[in-house]
């Protein structure tokens, strides 16, 4: 499950920077590839849910590791 | 008549009244008794919904400043260029204050009162901009710019000052000499001026990214 193609560390950044950086990173991926995002802003959980709903990309997982939030987003076909 | 309100409705009524009172008198200028009187309930009923004045104050802030979703929408819809995203975020921010100028009043009160929790709340709102600007400039500015670090930090401050001032001028104390410029026109102009000052000039950006919500 820890398979991903690219990683983005958005630790310490406030909304909407993590989303913006994720959008950029995803645009550089091919369809089906997965981006791992690390964030520290608690609000980012909801933000990434909304982001995936709107963009059609799939939020494969959303969880907490060592006090940080980790998201896996797979680029839509 | 207020006795017929359901629990959630009552809570909502208390929140609205509290926000208005905090906005006009500050945190220390309002007592729980006064808020309770404003909505015709006893302090005991108020405490049933909010454990303390501080809890009520925090809830009033959170309720009226829900802009995260709009930030996400803006990022999804607009371009990801530095200038488009900045213009979009600015629009979200000023719309939020234009709809609820009380938030700005509470912010100004909190600056004077030095309430730590509240100051953190407002600093965090501005941090979205200052983080964004610092990050963007780090990518945009050539590495050989003199005093690069200072420029980047000052740019964030400059932007915060500009936006806060335009909101004060347009939402709190309307000025005759600015009467012909709408809040949106002014903020568009300021974003453009700001971008020019940091060496990004794209005069057409504001049309696309910041007009209408």
């Amino acid at each position: 499950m820890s398979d991903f193609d690219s990683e983005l560390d958005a630790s310490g950044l406030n909304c909407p920077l993590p989303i913006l950086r994720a959008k950029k990173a995803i645009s550089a991926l091919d369809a089906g590839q997965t981006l791992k995002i690390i964030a520290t802003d608690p609000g980012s959980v909801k933000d990434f849910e909304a982001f995936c709903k709107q963009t059609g990309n799939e939020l494969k997982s959303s969880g907490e590791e060592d006090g940080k939030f980790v998201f896996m987003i797979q680029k839509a076909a | 008549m207020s006795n017929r309100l359901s629990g959630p409705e009552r809570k909502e009524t208390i929140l609205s009244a509290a926000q208005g009172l905090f906005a006009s008198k500050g945190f220390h200028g309002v007592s729980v008794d006064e808020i309770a009187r404003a909505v015709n309930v006893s302090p005991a009923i108020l405490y049933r919904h909010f454990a303390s004045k501080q809890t009520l104050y925090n809830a009033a802030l959170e309720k009226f400043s829900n802009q995260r979703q709009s930030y996400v929408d803006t990022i999804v819809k607009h371009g990801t260029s530095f200038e488009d995203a900045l213009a979009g975020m600015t629009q979200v921010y000023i719309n939020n204050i234009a709809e609820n100028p009380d938030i700005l009043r509470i912010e100004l009160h909190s600056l004077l009162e030095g309430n730590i929790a509240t100051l953190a709340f407002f600093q965090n709102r501005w941090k979205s901009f200052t983080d964004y600007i610092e990050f963007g400039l780090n990518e945009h500015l050539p590495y050989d710019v003199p005093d690069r670090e200072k420029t980047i930090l000052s740019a964030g401050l400059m932007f915060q000052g500009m936006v806060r001032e335009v909101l004060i001028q347009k939402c709190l104390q309307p000025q005759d000499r600015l009467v012909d410029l709408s809040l949106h026109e002014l903020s568009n102009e300021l974003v453009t001026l700001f971008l020019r000052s940091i060496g990004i000039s794209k005069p057409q950006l504001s049309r696309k990214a910041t007009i209408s919500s």
Side-chain angles (χ1 to χ4, degrees), chain B residues 184-210:
Chain B
H184 284 99
E185 285 172 321
L186 267 175
S187 79
N188 278 352
E189 279 310 312
L190 290 175
V191 171
T192 308
L193 269 177
F194 172 77
L195 291 171
R196 204 182 297 154
S197 77
I198 55 170
I200 301 174
S201 91
K202 265 205 171 174
Q204 76 279 27
L205 90 101
S206 37
R207 301 277 119 166
K208 191 168 112 241
T210 69

Side-chain angles (χ1 to χ4, degrees), chain B:
Chain B
M1 91 191 156
S2 58
N3 287 336
R4 296 217 188 116
L5 293 180
S6 68
E9 281 170 342
R10 167 107 57 213
K11 194 169 180 179
E12 205 56 23
T13 314
I14 296 171
L15 265 182
S16 299
Q19 195 212 17
L21 286 167
F22 285 136
S24 60
K25 302 181 177 185
F27 178 78
H28 295 303
V30 187
S31 65
V32 166
D33 283 5
E34 191 176 354
I35 298 166
R37 264 201 310 278
V39 288
N40 279 327
V41 299
S42 66
I45 288 190
L46 189 149
Y47 281 120
R48 208 179 290 161
H49 293 283
F50 300 96
S52 66
K53 187 165 92 167
Q54 185 70 53
T55 314
L56 176 53
Y57 187 69
N58 295 349
L61 282 182
E62 290 294 340
K63 172 178 164 22
F64 294 102
S65 64
N66 191 0
Q67 59 190 352
R68 295 189 75 101
Q69 180 65 45
S70 312
Y71 274 155
V72 175
D73 293 348
T74 303
I75 298 299
V76 171
K77 277 191 217 128
H78 294 304
T80 48
S81 72
F82 178 75
E83 52 273 27
D84 280 348
L86 183 64
M89 286 165 61
T90 309
Q91 158 117 38
V92 169
Y93 197 87
I94 64 167
N95 282 348
N96 180 245
I97 303 283
E99 283 164 20
N100 309 291
D102 278 350
I103 299 172
L104 182 59
R105 292 191 180 94
I106 292 178
E107 177 178 0
L108 297 176
H109 273 296
S110 83
L111 283 171
L112 294 176
E113 291 177 332
N115 182 321
I116 291 170
T118 322
L119 285 174
F121 173 87
F122 286 109
Q123 273 163 10
N124 208 37
R125 278 163 64 90
W126 287 112
K127 191 169 176 288
S128 290
F129 285 106
T130 49
D131 268 6
Y132 180 74
I133 289 166
E134 283 172 27
F135 225 89
L137 282 189
N138 237 324
E139 287 179 347
H140 274 82
L141 276 189
Y143 280 98
D144 55 1
V145 168
D147 290 325
R148 195 169 186 275
E149 290 281 297
K150 280 189 216 161
T151 303
I152 291 174
L153 278 176
S154 312
L157 185 64
M158 174 182 173
F159 193 83
Q160 178 176 338
M162 262 173 29
V163 174
R164 180 141 69 190
E165 188 59 26
V166 76
L167 286 165
I168 290 172
Q169 299 270 339
K170 292 302 282 188
C171 300
L172 297 192
Q173 40 171 219
Q175 305 276 322
D176 284 347
R177 66 194 181 85
L178 295 176
V179 79
D180 292 332
L181 282 169
S182 71
L183 177 59
H184 284 99
E185 285 172 321
L186 267 175
S187 79
N188 278 352
E189 279 310 312
L190 290 175
V191 171
T192 308
L193 269 177
F194 172 77
L195 291 171
R196 204 182 297 154
S197 77
I198 55 170
I200 301 174
S201 91
K202 265 205 171 174
Q204 76 279 27
L205 90 101
S206 37
R207 301 277 119 166
K208 191 168 112 241
T210 69
I211 282 188
S212 86
S213 47

